[in-house]
Amino acid sequence: MFNELVIPSRTIMTPGPVESNPVALQAMSSRMLGQFDPAFLTIMNNVKEMIKIPFGTKNKQAFAVDGTSRSGLEAALIALIEPGDKVLIPAYGRFAYLLGEICERAKAEIKYLEKDWTGTFDQEDVIEAIKEFQPKVVAMIHGETANGQMQAIDKIGPFCRENDVFFMVDMVATYGGVPIHVDEWCVDIAVAGTQKCISVPSGLALVTYNDRVEAVLDARYQKELGLSKDDRNENHIASNYLDLSQLQRYWSDERINHHTEATNMIYGLHEGLRSIINEGMENVFARHAQNDEAIVAGIKAMGLGFYGDLETKMPTVTPVMIPEGVDGEAIRELLLEQFGVEIASSFGDLKGKVWRIGNMGYSSRHENVLHVLAALEAALIYYDAPINQGAAVKAALNVYKRSN
Amino acid sequence: MFNELVIPSRTIMTPGPVESNPVALQAMSSRMLGQFDPAFLTIMNNVKEMIKIPFGTKNKQAFAVDGTSRSGLEAALIALIEPGDKVLIPAYGRFAYLLGEICERAKAEIKYLEKDWTGTFDQEDVIEAIKEFQPKVVAMIHGETANGQMQAIDKIGPFCRENDVFFMVDMVATYGGVPIHVDEWCVDIAVAGTQKCISVPSGLALVTYNDRVEAVLDARYQKELGLSKDDRNENHIASNYLDLSQLQRYWSDERINHHTEATNMIYGLHEGLRSIINEGMENVFARHAQNDEAIVAGIKAMGLGFYGDLETKMPTVTPVMIPEGVDGEAIRELLLEQFGVEIASSFGDLKGKVWRIGNMGYSSRHENVLHVLAALEAALIYYDAPINQGAAVKAALNVYKRSN
């Protein structure tokens, strides 16, 4: 009645999910361990330490939330926000509005600082807005996958710290692909995912936070009713499942029973992180930077344009203008069906105008870059688009050969 | 710096997580597909249909929430509850209080109907409490893992339906192990997990609901701000991540972009469900019943007692009284360290008094039952506990031989 799984081979060059690291996939099929089995606790403890490395933090707290990236965003925001709290959200792309949506549901008073999606904010403008609005929390996206832009935050964070404002940053699209300095940038709570630059399947969110956030969580902690009738707290967090004050105690030596950990996702996370840590974070970043340079060179050589400011473009996403008269979705379909290559479209106003080529994690490899450029060129030729022929792959190869 | 994964072999006879089905584990290591890849959409559609089978439902809506079982419980409850709504929670074990904790955080007015943990409710008592309290929602546990009891609900559900009360049931510990009839029992919304009787690692919650619940969700639907500035809804659900009105549209042909699906967990779910459907649900239930009989016979033969009413015991969990003078945790440690066998302790007042032996899914096999009985006997002998020696395994074998 139901057939076995059919999983065709794909070259995935989207901004996530990307191809998984085979060592992470292999680990995920390891046999089950009970969540309180000492062997599993060792794995959890290692994972905590490894999570911190791509975040660039010495925070005590770093662990996984058992849900996709946005579960971590929601957990982080509802940890800090109480109804009526003021949240400033500088928005230069789609995912700022996801933060806003979550804050709205948490009944915050929200102010958006908005700009067009072609670039990032001058940090001074954000600082001015903080001075004016005096929020409790500033929530920002570090790398916006919708337009491929990456916001500099090294001045915003220290300003927040000096003024006792909490600084929450979504690092889902940059974690493990570009250098991140949570401590140096004074980020109070940061969130990442698994399905992008660390190349583990989607299903876990990674969070890290400092003592300032931990103090808030301690003040809001409520032990679960099924475990104890004491420890009631009127100021508890709105969600049980996404309650970081409980999750922290589950991941600590206290090991309070909260959920049943997604053990096999944790196995995959362990190996995905270990793989890039062993590669060396500097080497990982250099690999992403080089492949980004090759993608940009190839797209330029084809005669296609880019969306937004190349100066502030994330190395992990390249937004490409769909040429006039070309049906972007027809090209994407041809790429997927005939070449087994996946690239992404975009959201909101950019839908139908922009393709997004990802360059993340295990997908960030020479052969993938060369394959996506060759396939895109061939697809454009097939649909009679006016492009420079024969130039893209050579331009990318020149980047690789020059670098060697 | 970080070592590779070390995953010892375990015989897991707890009430979950249990040993994973090897075909599900194998599936989870399959390569990545984009979440909107047509090949993955086919898998999602198959999964929707397969989820319904162990629930015994023809509901249109059945899908997975990307979180552990309790994420589904929270999603189900916050879908129905608005602040001040009255919720009746009949409590005969720990997990009723988890439902209460979630409802409390959703600002419901909660009434517990409480009893000791040794048995289940007479359905008429629950019906009387419903008449008296007139709740909007009745939330119950079908199978309570803390004490191994299973509540009959075939009269409560129809009474709720006739009186326009919503009936929400947690079927995490029974789904796939015992017959469930969501439609016949008039359950409006039911929740299950993956890590118990369908033997897929923890990380997904399964939900199904009927048109009555769907109507509530339609009335509360709010499209995400990053996708559209229209469709604002003052009555939206409190969580974005656990918003079933959005999740339903993600799992439908509408495919609104919500989260990035945990594709590889879905692969595992597909194969875990397919495996038991192919085995035949009646055969699956008979297997669990027979192994339960063997466990009970073995424990009895050893001279140990049971906690609670055996008449209403779930076939998937057996609560065993820890003999006077025996250190329950020392026995559990010896079992794990020397025999590689895991059994569970319990919660609250039962902690230190009761062991729980699970009998779920892929762990529900003759060799596991015989191994846990033999190991438990040996551990008790090692600690000089006064038990009948040499009887347990033979009693279990007699069950198997008689049945053949």
Side-chain angles (χ1 to χ4, degrees), chain A residues 89 100 175 219 224 292 303 314 336 380:
Chain A
I89 304 178
Y175 181 84
E224 195 174 296
D292 179 53
M314 245 191 303
L336 191 70
L380 284 163

Side-chain angles (χ1 to χ4, degrees), chain A residues 10 37 70 202 224 258 260, chain B residues 37 70 202 224 258 260:
Chain A
R10 299 291 192 225
D37 191 312
R70 71 169 58 196
S202 178
E224 195 174 296
H258 181 257
T260 299
Chain B
D37 190 311
R70 71 170 57 197
S202 178
E224 195 174 296
H258 182 257
T260 299

Side-chain angles (χ1 to χ4, degrees), chain A residues 1-200:
Chain A
M1 175 173 163
F2 292 99
N3 295 324
E4 63 232 36
L5 283 177
V6 177
I7 302 178
S9 173
R10 299 291 192 225
T11 297
I12 309 185
M13 293 299 274
T14 67
V18 301
E19 296 169 36
S20 291
N21 187 332
V23 301
L25 290 176
Q26 179 69 37
M28 285 176 65
S29 69
S30 303
R31 60 185 163 240
M32 178 62 53
L33 285 175
Q35 61 175 339
F36 296 116
D37 191 312
F40 187 66
L41 299 183
T42 300
I43 293 169
M44 284 175 82
N45 288 342
N46 285 343
V47 160
K48 281 181 79 164
E49 293 311 310
M50 287 194 283
I51 287 173
K52 297 174 189 177
I53 294 172
F55 272 131
T57 186
K58 297 196 189 308
N59 282 342
K60 183 176 162 207
Q61 301 300 341
F63 51 84
V65 177
D66 283 8
T68 67
S69 305
R70 71 169 58 196
S71 72
L73 300 177
E74 186 164 326
L77 289 167
I78 66 174
L80 294 173
I81 295 171
E82 295 173 46
D85 279 346
K86 288 162 81 173
V87 182
L88 179 73
I89 304 178
Y92 62 98
R94 170 193 168 184
F95 284 99
Y97 296 98
L98 169 60
L99 302 183
E101 174 91 11
I102 294 167
C103 293
E104 181 188 321
R105 292 182 188 223
K107 304 200 184 303
E109 181 189 339
I110 301 158
K111 185 177 170 64
Y112 292 101
L113 181 68
E114 292 179 294
K115 69 179 297 304
D116 66 74
W117 291 12
T118 59
T120 59
F121 286 98
D122 183 325
Q123 294 190 71
E124 288 305 325
D125 292 343
V126 175
I127 288 170
E128 278 308 308
I130 297 170
K131 283 181 187 165
E132 194 176 311
F133 185 58
Q134 303 207 329
K136 177 179 177 181
V137 179
V138 174
M140 281 198 93
I141 309 290
H142 185 221
E144 171 62 72
T145 55
N147 56 1
Q149 291 288 312
M150 184 165 70
Q151 174 69 51
I153 55 174
D154 60 317
K155 291 189 177 70
I156 300 169
F159 181 82
C160 287
R161 184 68 49 89
E162 283 159 26
N163 291 275
D164 208 23
V165 173
F166 287 105
F167 190 36
M168 178 273 178
V169 183
D170 170 345
M171 294 172 161
V172 172
T174 50
Y175 181 84
V178 302
I180 285 175
H181 307 286
V182 158
D183 293 350
E184 200 182 310
W185 295 342
C186 297
V187 176
D188 292 302
I189 182 162
V191 179
T194 50
Q195 79 282 8
K196 298 186 192 269
C197 299
I198 63 170
S199 294
V200 175

Side-chain angles (χ1 to χ4, degrees), chain B residues 131-384:
Chain B
K131 282 180 187 165
E132 196 177 308
F133 185 58
Q134 304 208 328
K136 176 178 177 181
V137 179
V138 174
M140 282 198 92
I141 309 290
H142 184 223
E144 171 62 71
T145 53
N147 55 0
Q149 291 287 312
M150 184 165 70
Q151 174 68 50
I153 55 173
D154 60 318
K155 292 189 176 68
I156 299 168
F159 181 82
C160 287
R161 183 68 49 88
E162 282 158 24
N163 292 275
D164 209 22
V165 173
F166 287 104
F167 191 37
M168 179 272 178
V169 184
D170 170 344
M171 295 173 160
V172 172
T174 50
Y175 181 84
V178 301
I180 285 175
H181 306 286
V182 158
D183 292 351
E184 201 181 309
W185 296 342
C186 297
V187 176
D188 293 303
I189 183 162
V191 179
T194 49
Q195 79 282 9
K196 299 186 192 268
C197 298
I198 61 170
S199 293
V200 175
S202 178
L204 295 175
L206 313 179
V207 294
T208 187
Y209 52 84
N210 60 17
D211 294 349
R212 299 174 78 207
V213 174
E214 194 171 337
V216 173
L217 289 171
D218 283 345
R220 303 187 74 180
Y221 177 55
Q222 171 167 303
K223 196 165 180 178
E224 195 174 296
L225 200 55
L227 298 174
S228 158
K229 302 214 167 173
D230 311 323
D231 300 309
R232 300 283 88 193
N233 187 331
E234 291 213 339
N235 201 28
H236 59 66
I237 289 167
S239 168
N240 167 276
Y241 189 68
L242 299 175
D243 180 342
L244 291 183
S245 75
Q246 288 199 55
L247 285 170
Q248 172 185 312
R249 284 165 176 80
Y250 175 71
W251 279 83
S252 78
D253 291 341
E254 206 179 322
R255 306 277 174 212
I256 66 144
N257 190 277
H258 182 257
H259 58 285
T260 299
E261 188 52 43
T263 44
N264 292 50
M265 286 296 306
I266 296 290
Y267 297 163
L269 176 60
H270 186 287
E271 291 301 278
L273 285 168
R274 203 166 68 89
S275 176
I276 60 170
I277 291 166
N278 283 348
E279 183 179 349
M281 294 311 302
E282 292 310 318
N283 299 327
V284 169
F285 301 144
R287 169 164 58 82
H288 282 83
Q290 190 201 42
N291 286 323
D292 179 53
E293 194 185 340
I295 291 168
V296 169
I299 295 295
K300 263 188 193 156
M302 233 183 282
L304 301 182
F306 301 89
Y307 178 83
D309 188 347
L310 278 184
E311 287 295 307
T312 48
K313 192 184 82 62
M314 245 190 304
T316 52
V317 187
T318 298
V320 177
M321 295 303 299
I322 299 172
E324 201 74 33
V326 167
D327 177 347
E329 287 306 286
I331 298 274
R332 290 212 314 127
E333 263 169 43
L334 190 70
L335 287 176
L336 191 70
E337 283 170 11
Q338 299 297 330
F339 299 82
V341 169
E342 192 183 5
I343 66 171
S345 56
S346 191
F347 305 102
D349 291 343
L350 303 191
K351 198 164 180 173
K353 293 185 192 157
V354 168
W355 291 311
R356 298 176 300 150
I357 300 177
N359 169 44
M360 291 177 163
Y362 188 73
S363 283
S364 180
R365 307 195 308 277
H366 289 201
E367 68 265 35
N368 274 23
V369 170
L370 299 173
H371 190 30
V372 75
L373 288 172
L376 180 58
E377 174 176 331
L380 284 162
I381 291 172
Y382 180 81
Y383 279 113
D384 300 318

